[in-house]
Amino acid sequence: MYIKQIIIQGFKSYKDQTVIEPFSPRHNVIVGRNGSGKSNFFAAIRFVLSDAYTQMGREERGALLHEGAGAAVMSAFVEIIFDNSDDRFPTGKNEVTIRRTIGMKKDEYSLDRKNATKTDVMNLLESAGFSRSNPYYIVPQGRVTALTNMKDNERLILLKEVAGTQVYEARRTESLKIMTETNNKREKIDELLNYIQERLTELEEEKEELKDYQEKDKERRCLQYTIDHREQLAIAEELDNLEERRNAGAENTDDGEERFRQGDKELAGIQVEINELKQQVDFLNVDKKQLEAERKEVSRAKAKIELDVKNLTDGQSAAQQARTQYQSDVDALDSAIQQHEQELAQITPDYSTRLQEEATIKGELDSAEATRQRLYAKQGRNARFRNKRERDDWLRAEINNSYPQLAKVKAVRVQTAEDIAELEKDIADTEQAIAQLREQLEGRGSNNETMQAQIQEAKAERDRLMDERKELWREDAKLDSVLSNASNELRQAEQELSHTMDQNTSRGLAAVRRIKQQHKLDGIHGTLAELFDVSDRFRRAVEVTAGQSLFHYVVDNDDTATKVIEILQREKSGRITFMPLNRLRPKTANFPSADDAIPMIERLQFDPKYKKAFEQVFGQTIICPNLQIAGQYARSHSVNGVTLDGDRSDRKGAFTGGYIDNKHSRLEAVRNVSKWRGEYDSHKARSADVKRTLEKKDQEITRAVGNLQKLEQKRLQQEHSYGPLLQEIRSKSNDVQNKKDALDAKHRAMTKIEANMRALTDQQDGHEAEIASEFKKALTQEEETQLENLSSTVQNLRQQYSDLAAARSELESRKTILEIELREDLRPRLDQLQAQEFDDRASTGSRGTLRESQSELKRINKRLATIESKLTELESSLETSTARIQELQNRQTATKATLDEIALTIEKSQKRTEKSIRKRRILTTQAAEVSARIRDLGILPHGALEKYEKIKSDSIVKRLHKVNEALKKYGHVNKKAFEQYNNFTDQREALTKRRGELDSSQNSIEELIQVLDQRKDEAIERTFKQVSREFAKVFEKLVPAGRGRLVIQRKADRGDGAGDEEDGEDGVVRKESVENYTGVGIS
C-alpha cells in the first residue's frame, strides 16, 4: 500500500485543482523554493489522514481556504488515492480514494466517490495501520530534532505514546471509575438492607392484630356486597322495563317520523308542482295577451285588404275598356310605321344607286373639264415663251407649286375619311343603343309584373321572419322567467348546502368553480359528491363514511391542485382539499366474503377514471346489518363497518352512532344543487341561443326590409324612368339624324376632295408630259382632236348629270318625308300610347293587383284562423291548469293537517321519551355508584353471595351495623401491614441479589485492571526492545566507531546510581511495573 495520487483544490495556497503524481512505492522527496507550497502539501496530507484538523471552528475552517485575488473560494477539498494492490485496506479494490471537503459551514468525507462519515474513514485507516493511538505514522517538520533534544522523562512519555498505552490508560481509568460507582451503590444497598430489616421486625408485631381486623372486615364486605348486589339487580330490572317502553315508543316515533318525512316529501312535491303550474299559467297568460294583440292587428290588416279587393274589383271593367281602345290605337300606329318602314326600305337602295351613279358621272365630268382647261391653258401660254427652256422652267415651277396643294388635299382627304369612319361607327352604336332602349321600353310591362312578383315575395319573406321573431320573443320571455326561478332555486339550494359545511369550504367550492371557468382548467373534475350516485337506501351510510370528504375536489394531477391552491391563497378565497389522481395510492382492503358484509364501493356508480379517489375514501368500508356485526368485521378484517342507519365501527376500535336528521342530508343537498345548476345552465344556454337567434333574425329582417325597400325603389325608378327613356330615345334619334346629315356632307366633301386631287394629279402629269415634249407655239394635231372630242363629251356628261340629279332629288325628297314622318309623328305617338299603357299598369301595381290582394286576404284569413285556434287551446290549458292548481292546493291543505297531527303525536312521544331518559339517567347513575361500591369492596371470599342469599335485607342491614361497630376499635390498626411486610421482603431479596452482582462486577473490574496493567507493561517493554535495537543499529551507522544504547531509568536506580541496561537483544533483565519507570536515557 502506498499513496498513488493526490488532488488538491482551494486548500491554502492551492486555489486551482492540482494533481500530484506519480508517487514511488518506496521513498518520495518533495523539494522546492520557499513559499512554493511544500508545507501546505504536507498539511493537506495531514488534513485527510491525521487528527490534527479536528474540532475546528468557523474561523479555523476559513483559514484553510485559499485567500487571494479573484473570486472567493467557498470550499476546498483534498483527495488521496492509495494503491491497494496488497489489500491492506479490506475493500477488495485495487485503489482506495479518500476525500475530505471543507467549507465555512461543512466538513465532509467521501470514500471511493461516495459520502461517508468520519468514523467510517477512521475505522478504515485503522484497519490499514493508521492507528489514532499511535500518531507517529506522520512525522512533521522539527519532530526529529525535538526527539533528539528530549529529556529522559519526555522520552519515556514518547515511548508510552509509541507503544499505544493511551488506550490502556483510558480503559483503566474507565474501569476505576466504574469500580468506584459500584462501591457507592454497594454502600447504599447495605444501608437499605439495614432499614428493611428494622421494618420487618416492627411489622411482625402488627400482623396478629391485623389478622383479627381482616376477619371482621371480610364479614363486613360480604354483607355490604349482598346489599349492593340486590340493589343492583333492582336497578337493572327497572332499566330493562324502561328500555322496553323506550323501544316501543321509539318504534312508534320512527313510524311517525317516517310518515312525517313521507308527508313532508309529498308536500314539497305538491308545492313544486303548484309552482310549476303557476309558472305555466303565467306563461299561458302572456301568450294569450300576445295572441289577442296579434289578432287585433291581423283583423285591422284584414279589413284594409278587403277594402282594397272591393276597390280593385269595381275598377276592373273600366280598365278593360280603356285597354281595348289602347290596343286598337297601338295596332293602327304599328301598321302605319310598318308601311313607312317598308317604303323607306324600297327607296333607300334605289337612292343609294342613283347617288353613286351621280357621283360617277360627276367625276367623269370634272375630269373632262380639267383636261379641256389644261389644253386651253397650254394653247394660250405657248405664245409667252421664246424657247423650250423658258417653258420647262415655268412648268417645273408650276409642278413644284402644286405639290403643297396636293399634300394639303391629301391630308384633308385622310381627315375626312377618318371623320366618315367615326361618324359611321357612332351612327351604328347609337342605332344599337336606340334598339336596346326600344326593346327595354317594349318589355317594361313584363318587367313591371316581374317586379311586382319580387315585391310580393319580399313582403312574404319579411312577414315570415317577423312571425318567427315574435315566436322567439315569446320563448325568450318564457326563458327569462324560468331562468329567474331556476336562479332563485339554485341560490336557495346552495345556501342549504353551505349550511352542511364550514364557511371556508363553502367559499372555496364557489371559488374553484369560478377559477375553472376563468382559467379553462379541464383537469378539475368536481367534488367527490358530484362524481357518483347511490341509491337512497345506502345514502346515510355513505354520508357517514365520507364526512367532509364529500367536498374534496378531484383533480387530474398535483400541478393542477398546486395552481388552484396558489390562486386561492392569492385571492384569499377559502380552503379546499384536493385529491390528485396521479398521487393517490389507495390500499387494497381485505373484505370478508359474507352476505352480511357488502363493500360500500360496489354500491356506488361512478366513472372508472375516478376509481382511485373513491377507493381512497370508501375502499376500506363495508355495510353491515347492525353495529355488532360491523364491530366484529372491523376487528377481524381491519375494515370500517357502517350500518344503514349510519352507526359506524372504526377498524381502530372506535364506535360512532346516534340520531341523524334526514332533513339535512349532504348528498341530497348536493343533488339538489346539481339539479338546479343543470337546469339553470341549460336554460341559460337556451336563452343565450334564443338571444343569438333573435339577433340573427333581426339581421335577417333588416336585410329583408332592405331588400324590399330596394325593390320598391327600383319599381319607383322604373315608373319614373319612362319619360327620361322616351326623351333619351328622341335625343339619340335626333343625334343619329344629325350624324347622318353630317355623314352625307362628309361624303360630298370627300367627292370634291377626290376630284381636286385628281385634277392636281392630272395637271402634274400634263406638265411632266409637256416638259418631255418638244417646244411648239401651237397644239399638236392629237391635242386639237382631243380638245374637240372633250367639248362634245362634256356636253353629254352635263346632260347625264342633270338627269341623274333630278331623279336623285325626287327620291331624296320622298325619303326625307318618310323619315320625318316616322321620326316626328308616328314613333312619338306610339311611344306616347305605350307610356300611357305603362302608367296605367304602374298605377294598378301601386295599389296592388286584385289577384295579389286576394292572395294576401287568404293568407291573413289563414293566420287569423291559426291565432283563434291557439287562443282556444290556451283557454283550455288555462282552465285545466287552474283546476289542477285548486286540486293540489286542497290536497296540500289536507296534507298539512295530517302532518300537524303527526307532529303533535311525535312531540308527545318525545316528551315521554325525554322523561324516560331522565329517569334512565338517574338509574344509570345509581347503578354506577353501586358498581363502584362493589368494586371498592375488593376480592370477596368464595361463596360470599350464597352465604346470605336466604337472609332478608333487614337482617343483613342489622348485622352490617353490628360489624361496623366492632370494627371501630381497630381504627389504629395498620391495614397494610401484610402488604408492607411482603414488599419489604421482596425488596430485601432483590437488594441482596443486586449486591452479589456488584461484588462479582468489582472482581471482574479488578481482574481487568490487572490485565490492562500487564498488557501495558508488555507493550512498553516490547516497544522499548524494538526501539532500542533500532537505535543501536542507526547509531552504529551514524558513528561507526562508537556505540549508543537506550537505558530505562527506574525509581530504584536513584538510590544506587545505576540501572538495568537493555540492548534490544537480551530483553529486559527483570520485569517491573511501568509505574516504576522514570525515564529513558542514552549512554
Side-chain angles (χ1 to χ4, degrees), residues 922-973:
I922 293 171
L923 291 174
T924 303
T925 304
Q926 292 176 359
E929 293 175 356
V930 172
S931 299
R933 290 200 301 268
I934 291 175
R935 285 195 302 271
D936 293 340
L937 293 176
I939 300 175
L940 299 175
H942 180 70
L945 183 61
E946 291 80 1
K947 183 178 180 181
Y948 303 101
E949 184 177 2
K950 299 181 180 180
I951 302 176
K952 295 182 179 180
S953 298
D954 295 339
S955 301
I956 294 175
V957 171
K958 291 179 181 179
R959 293 185 63 177
L960 178 63
H961 178 70
K962 291 180 181 180
V963 172
N964 287 332
E965 291 295 330
L967 286 173
K968 289 181 179 179
K969 64 179 182 179
Y970 294 103
H972 64 282
V973 174

Side-chain angles (χ1 to χ4, degrees), residues 646-665:
D647 297 332
R648 186 168 181 265
S649 174
D650 192 87
R651 63 176 179 268
K652 295 182 180 179
F655 281 78
T656 305
Y659 173 73
I660 297 177
D661 188 2
N662 290 324
K663 293 182 179 179
H664 300 87
S665 171

